[in-house]
Amino acid sequence: MIVEPKVKGFICTTAHPEGCRESVRRQIAYCKEKGLVKGPKKVLVIGASTGYGLASRIAAAYGYGAATIGVSFEKEAKGKRTATAGWYNTKAFEQFASEDGYYAKSFNGDGFSKEMKEQVIETIRSDWGQVEMVVYSMAAPRRTLADGTAVSSVLKTVGEAFTNKTIDLRTNEITEVTVPVADEEEIANTIKVMGGEDWEEWIRALAEAGVLADNAVTMAYSYIGPVVTHPIYKDGSIGQAKKHLYDTSVKLTEEFADRGLQAYISVNKALVTQSSAAIPIVPLYISLVYKVMKEKGLHEGCIEQMYRLFTEKLPGRETDAEGRIRLDDWELREEVQSEIAGVWDSITTENIQKYGDIDGYWEDFYHMFGFRYDNVDYGADVEI
């Protein structure tokens, strides 16, 4: 069938299998061009099908020459409904990795569940013996707890409501949005979904099963961003979860010190992902930061960020005073942020094209779902 993009709000409900394959191919080509460095050879990526998680898996395989296991929760095609982009991404990665001689196994299901942890542990035990690196990149909106209770995360502030500019990406209209305050239960649930509890459960399960190698490394991803987004992100309900994630990294490093485990938080830059597209105010900021960073030759996508993380930051144990790896170092440069701050208050519907990279935002958005690649024939019939 012919697959076209169908955009609803901040997601696309269709995905193009050949376009997703091209996305994966390009990320692999970037790493191949950069070359291999010494690093872990057995890598587990939890949340491995899109965005930073997918880029992590690619960077591990093609930056370290590593065998990888990926865990994700994606939907396959049904009738005339395409599979999710993550489903196609995973299939494409497995095929490319196999052709290049790399071990690649993927599990599709609830990464929060005990059953998924047991399946992965058994595979590590039988195929690898032990895992040397664990990347935790889950970005789920909800979680089913062990007792069957379902909890959801919210995109809200803490303390008081926050009003600021945002952009309606369908019309490029600049409007104001007020982000409401989260109550205590919503904050607690957001921490349950997006904090470090499940990350810790994965590490404990791997260690107790004897499949976590000595001197292993584990990482989870976070974001801090500029002051303008702090009320909705850093200090909001998501930020409370990210603080818990950071505390978990400290806890894991301390508790598994006798095993030599190093647990890190990597603070990454703002990019168009399926998660960030849903956050009020952030898409407007991203369009501005894209414009400035591209003009200064500082822009990176997911794969550039993850390759730099795996081959430069991590091997050098390059961290800030709190022990976090800072991949947002280029984004938060004074020369970048001062330009954005200087135009933020004057941004209007009429001048957003001048100050923002709306086209770049949309290009990245459509690329997430396999669309708008210039070398893919979107008029051709494709097997979904």
Side-chain angles (χ1 to χ4, degrees):
M1 62 182 279
I2 294 175
V3 180
E4 298 178 337
K6 295 180 180 178
V7 178
K8 291 183 179 179
F10 54 83
I11 65 166
C12 184
T13 60
T14 55
H16 198 284
E18 289 303 314
C20 289
R21 179 182 173 82
E22 175 62 15
S23 175
V24 172
R25 188 197 66 78
R26 291 188 184 196
Q27 292 181 69
I28 289 173
Y30 175 84
C31 294
K32 282 184 173 180
E33 184 179 343
K34 290 289 186 178
L36 293 170
V37 303
K38 185 179 180 181
K41 296 299 185 186
K42 298 168 183 175
V43 179
L44 167 63
V45 182
I46 303 155
S49 57
T50 61
Y52 277 124
L54 173 63
S56 298
R57 192 175 189 189
I58 293 170
Y62 290 91
Y64 290 156
T68 63
I69 292 174
V71 176
S72 56
F73 198 7
E74 301 292 345
K75 293 180 180 178
E76 53 188 308
K78 185 176 182 180
K80 292 187 176 181
R81 181 180 298 170
T82 70
T84 54
W87 177 272
Y88 293 134
N89 291 339
T90 300
K91 293 298 180 186
F93 173 79
E94 287 179 337
Q95 184 177 352
F96 284 125
S98 176
E99 290 171 357
D100 290 329
Y102 294 123
Y103 172 110
K105 272 191 181 176
S106 305
F107 290 85
N108 191 54
D110 182 5
F112 292 119
S113 70
K114 181 182 177 183
E115 292 76 18
M116 179 59 74
K117 293 176 176 69
E118 290 172 346
Q119 286 183 54
V120 171
I121 284 168
E122 284 309 307
T123 298
I124 292 171
R125 179 181 286 117
S126 63
D127 291 7
W128 292 352
Q130 292 186 316
V131 61
E132 300 168 6
M133 180 174 176
V134 181
V135 176
Y136 189 83
S137 185
M138 289 269 274
R142 65 190 62 85
R143 173 186 177 190
T144 301
L145 304 177
D147 64 0
T149 304
V151 293
S152 297
S153 60
V154 296
L155 294 164
K156 294 186 178 181
T157 63
V158 172
E160 59 183 27
F162 177 61
T163 300
N164 209 319
K165 292 182 178 183
T166 193
I167 184 170
D168 183 336
L169 287 161
R170 295 165 297 182
T171 62
N172 291 349
E173 183 181 4
I174 303 300
T175 60
E176 277 198 343
V177 62
T178 297
V179 184
V181 181
D183 60 34
E184 291 302 317
E185 182 180 5
E186 288 175 321
I187 294 170
N189 287 345
T190 302
I191 291 172
K192 283 281 185 186
V193 176
M194 302 184 70
E197 186 175 87
D198 185 60
W199 181 24
E200 181 179 344
E201 287 180 6
W202 268 101
I203 298 302
R204 290 194 183 285
L206 292 164
E208 289 169 7
V211 298
L212 184 67
D214 288 345
N215 303 312
V217 62
T218 184
M219 287 185 305
Y221 299 140
S222 190
Y223 181 67
I224 293 176
V227 172
V228 71
T229 65
H230 282 183
I232 178 61
Y233 203 102
K234 178 176 178 285
D235 300 327
S237 55
I238 298 177
Q240 305 312 302
K242 295 300 185 182
K243 288 173 186 174
H244 187 273
L245 198 68
Y246 168 74
D247 290 342
T248 301
S249 73
V250 175
K251 180 181 180 183
L252 288 172
T253 298
E254 290 176 350
E255 290 195 15
F256 289 91
D258 60 328
R259 301 280 299 275
L261 178 73
Q262 289 291 320
Y264 293 102
I265 295 297
S266 176
V267 183
N268 303 337
K269 74 167 282 194
L271 286 173
V272 182
T273 66
Q274 292 188 36
S275 300
S276 68
I279 307 172
I281 302 165
V282 169
L284 174 58
Y285 168 73
I286 289 176
S287 73
L288 300 181
V289 83
Y290 269 31
K291 175 90 168 181
V292 174
M293 293 187 76
K294 285 179 180 179
E295 288 176 350
K296 295 182 181 299
L298 297 172
H299 180 68
E300 293 175 305
C302 286
I303 194 61
E304 291 87 358
Q305 283 259 293
M306 293 300 95
Y307 186 85
R308 184 157 70 98
L309 169 63
F310 283 23
T311 64
E312 296 179 25
K313 296 283 189 177
L314 196 58
R317 299 292 194 260
E318 188 182 321
T319 64
D320 64 10
E322 284 77 44
R324 301 169 300 191
I325 297 172
R326 300 302 295 267
L327 276 173
D328 62 347
D329 47 356
W330 297 357
E331 175 189 347
L332 295 186
R333 283 184 181 180
E334 172 62 26
E335 62 187 283
V336 172
Q337 290 303 317
S338 61
E339 278 200 34
I340 296 170
V343 301
W344 184 270
D345 289 341
S346 59
I347 291 292
T348 63
T349 302
E350 289 69 37
N351 65 20
I352 182 58
Q353 290 286 0
K354 175 183 177 181
Y355 293 117
D357 182 17
I358 303 297
D359 291 341
Y361 184 100
W362 275 115
E363 180 178 67
D364 278 10
F365 177 88
Y366 279 105
H367 281 179
M368 281 195 296
F369 302 96
F371 295 104
R372 295 195 180 176
Y373 283 107
D374 53 13
N375 59 338
V376 175
D377 183 0
Y378 293 105
D381 276 330
V382 65
E383 173 55 57
I384 64 168

